[in-house]
Amino acid sequence: MNFNQPLGGNEMPRFAGPATMMRLPSASSAAGLDAAFVGVPMDIGASHRSGTRFGPRQIRAESAMLRPYNMATRVSPFDHMHVADLGDIAINTFNLAKSIDIIEAGLTDIVQAGAVPLTLGGDHTLTLPALRAMAKQYGPVGLVHVDAHADINEHMFGEPIAHGTPFRRAFEEGLLDASRVVQIGLRGTGYADDDFDWPRSQGFRVVTAEECWHQSLTPLMQEVRQQMGSGPVYLTYDIDSLDPAFASGTGTLEIGGLTTVQALEIIRGLKGVNLVGTDLVEISPPYDMAGSTALIGANLLYEMLCVLPKVVAAQS
Ligand code: MN
Ligand code: MN
């Protein structure tokens, strides 16, 4: 079979050519694809520093360094899956509510075509319509949520939909299988105990950053795999889960965060989980002076590709 391959650095200089994700071919529909990168250039759900509207473009630019073979895990995702870059979903940047519906429709198209969406954010509001699209196809899903924040606010400035509320809304709407939800990396200042206890009282597992300090997360991920079982799982990765020392190009920084090594352990630890969709959110290029936050994001999206069920099945 002829699979799409990233354009190699010996065919075209890495700094040249169209800036698609990993220099893959672009596609206008997900038909025939196994996995699809898609951008959501949105920051109108952000509460503090904005700029994530430029996230997809910058992640693509920094992804030019990525080569197709995963040296550590010996996985070659592009030999087993049809993958392309679908470009960006045309949100309405003047209207968050309409944008939410547009994102849900765009991701529904991808899921219904049989492809796994890997979404380049964009602020975290986008995960609510993503979960709506997932639940329509699969019913309530398990959720691996990596973040400094629980994002379970009742409302923000009176609004029910914003980047700090998606998992409260998703729970209320029945999009989540609450016993198969884990939130990893939570930390920082809050308003009250309830910020982290509300998810616990709904049956979510909460793993604070303090529980991750100074240790490998590989044992944790063994427990997460057991928790997720064989049902469908969505992975949402907020870049602010990482310590600002690694990823300062984001809107709401919290100190004492995860390392890039732990990020790799989390994603590689999802090998064997039935991932049906993923996203990487909250990269804000205006605050990412070295481009390293976007570079980390690009690498993490590639690692997600390497643990999708079709690749794992083909290489096991
Ligand atoms: Mn978040
Ligand atoms: Mn966050």
Side-chain angles (χ1 to χ4, degrees):
M1 261 196 286
N2 272 336
F3 291 102
N4 288 341
Q5 294 294 326
L7 187 58
N10 297 317
E11 302 161 72
M12 171 71 78
R14 292 207 168 270
F15 43 83
T20 57
M21 184 65 184
M22 285 197 73
R23 309 185 350 136
L24 284 162
S26 57
S28 53
S29 113
L33 298 179
D34 300 305
F37 292 108
V38 63
V40 175
M42 177 169 77
D43 56 13
I44 54 176
S47 56
H48 191 43
R49 309 200 303 195
S50 60
T52 55
R53 67 178 59 186
F54 301 112
R57 182 166 287 186
Q58 195 63 31
I59 293 169
R60 289 187 176 103
E62 295 297 339
S63 77
M65 265 278 290
L66 293 172
R67 294 160 289 259
Y69 185 71
N70 192 321
M71 300 304 294
T73 63
R74 295 176 182 265
V75 166
S76 53
F78 303 104
D79 292 339
H80 307 290
M81 291 194 301
H82 293 287
V83 190
D85 186 335
L86 295 179
D88 292 335
I89 292 175
I91 64 144
N92 179 342
T93 197
F94 305 107
N95 190 315
L96 181 57
K98 282 184 179 169
S99 295
I100 294 304
D101 291 341
I102 292 167
I103 296 163
E104 181 183 346
L107 292 176
T108 297
D109 285 347
I110 297 170
V111 171
Q112 286 183 346
V116 176
L118 298 97
T119 301
L120 288 56
D123 74 65
H124 220 158
T125 318
L126 71 86
T127 306
L128 176 62
L131 289 170
R132 286 176 178 167
M134 296 298 142
K136 257 191 301 194
Q137 185 79 3
Y138 302 107
V141 293
L143 179 72
V144 176
H145 171 207
V146 191
D147 202 325
H149 313 97
D151 292 352
I152 50 76
N153 288 282
E154 179 64 45
H155 48 73
M156 297 185 90
F157 222 79
E159 295 295 331
I161 293 184
H163 78 156
T165 68
F167 305 108
R168 171 82 65 134
R169 295 289 94 78
F171 174 78
E172 292 169 348
E173 294 179 18
L175 312 179
L176 301 176
D177 177 356
S179 67
R180 294 196 302 124
V181 175
V182 64
Q183 299 183 292
I184 302 171
L186 310 195
R187 63 186 186 272
T189 51
Y191 288 101
D193 283 347
D194 203 42
D195 291 359
F196 296 171
D197 286 346
W198 184 88
R200 290 186 174 107
S201 63
Q202 314 313 319
F204 299 3
R205 179 174 183 189
V206 171
V207 182
T208 64
E210 283 79 359
E211 295 172 72
C212 302
W213 284 358
H214 315 300
Q215 58 186 301
S216 165
L217 297 187
T218 300
L220 169 69
M221 295 314 294
Q222 190 173 350
E223 296 174 11
V224 169
R225 286 196 299 277
Q226 280 185 344
Q227 181 192 3
M228 295 301 142
S230 58
V233 173
Y234 188 84
L235 166 64
T236 182
Y237 203 107
D238 186 328
I239 201 72
D240 71 26
S241 58
L242 292 170
D243 192 85
F246 298 98
S248 59
T250 186
T252 46
L253 304 169
E254 308 286 354
I255 69 167
L258 306 182
T259 66
T260 50
V261 169
Q262 289 175 317
L264 291 172
E265 288 173 338
I266 289 171
I267 297 173
R268 290 176 185 173
L270 291 172
K271 179 182 173 184
V273 168
N274 182 15
L275 289 171
V276 293
T278 77
D279 64 47
L280 192 295
V281 298
E282 296 287 350
I283 290 173
S284 178
Y287 296 98
D288 186 18
M289 294 310 151
S292 49
T293 306
L295 178 82
I296 293 167
N299 274 274
L300 296 184
L301 282 157
Y302 169 71
E303 293 284 340
M304 292 175 193
L305 200 63
C306 291
V307 292
L308 292 187
K310 206 155 202 171
V311 178
V312 174
Q315 291 208 228
S316 59

